[in-house]
Amino acid sequence: MKKVIILLICMCAVLSIQAKKEPVKIFPRSYGYYTKGNNGAQTITYDKGYGRFGWNNKGFKTDLSAYTHMVLEIEPTDSRVELHIIYDNDGEEEDVKLGQINMGKDQIKVEFDGMRKIKAIYLTKSKPGTVKVLDFHLTDGQD
C-alpha cells in the first residue's frame, strides 16, 4: 500500500511540473504589412525589410496571463528575424522588441509580461525574403 501511495505522489509531482504550452496562431496574418504567408508551408515572405507579420488580439479577447515566455524556432535565414509584442497601455501602444534570431541561427526563447493587455505579436525580418516557421508557442517557462 505504501508503494502505491508513493507512486501516486510521484506521478502527481511529475504531472504538476509539466509546462503549459499554447501555439501562437500567426497564420493567416491578422496583423502587419508588406508580407504574405503560406499556412501550408508555414512560411512568411517579406516584400520589404522590416515588414510585419503576426497575430492581432482584437478586443483583447485572448487571455495570455497564464504565459510568461515565447519560443520561436525557424529555419536559418540570410538576415535577422525579430520578435515583437505590442502592449496596450490604456489606449497607448508600446511596441517592444523581445528578442532576435541572428542570421544563420534558428531559435529564441523570450520572456514577456502576459499580465498586460497585448494588442499584437509579430515577426519582422531585416531584409526582404522568406522565413519558415518550425515552432512558435507560448509557455509558462517550465519547458
Side-chain angles (χ1 to χ4, degrees):
M1 181 69 165
K2 284 184 180 180
K3 289 181 183 178
V4 171
I5 293 172
I6 291 172
L7 180 60
L8 287 173
I9 291 171
C10 289
M11 287 174 60
C12 288
V14 169
L15 291 174
S16 68
I17 60 170
Q18 288 182 347
K20 187 171 188 162
K21 192 173 172 180
E22 178 73 28
V24 177
K25 295 176 178 74
I26 58 171
F27 296 101
R29 179 187 82 187
S30 61
Y31 178 84
Y33 47 83
Y34 302 125
T35 58
K36 55 186 166 274
N38 182 319
N39 189 20
Q42 294 289 292
T43 57
I44 303 166
T45 301
Y46 292 84
D47 299 330
K48 296 184 178 190
Y50 295 103
R52 295 179 178 188
F53 189 97
W55 168 77
N56 191 347
N57 191 15
K58 289 186 180 181
F60 311 112
K61 292 181 182 175
T62 302
D63 179 15
L64 301 176
S65 62
Y67 303 102
T68 57
H69 292 79
M70 277 186 265
V71 177
L72 173 63
E73 183 178 0
I74 61 171
E75 284 187 352
T77 71
D78 63 344
S79 66
R80 179 178 61 249
V81 174
E82 297 177 357
L83 173 57
H84 287 250
I85 195 165
I86 299 177
Y87 295 106
D88 182 276
N89 297 324
D90 297 321
E92 277 199 43
E93 292 182 4
E94 179 185 359
D95 189 325
V96 177
K97 180 177 116 178
L98 295 176
Q100 66 188 34
I101 300 174
N102 290 324
M103 178 179 65
K105 303 295 181 184
D106 64 358
Q107 61 185 335
I108 188 172
K109 180 178 180 180
V110 297
E111 190 170 358
F112 74 101
D113 182 358
M115 299 301 287
R116 292 168 63 188
K117 292 178 183 174
I118 295 172
K119 179 176 180 179
I121 297 169
Y122 69 92
L123 304 177
T124 189
K125 187 175 183 299
S126 61
K127 291 187 202 174
T130 301
V131 173
K132 180 167 179 72
V133 177
L134 303 175
D135 182 34
F136 193 18
H137 67 270
L138 302 161
T139 180
D140 60 4
Q142 299 296 319
D143 63 354

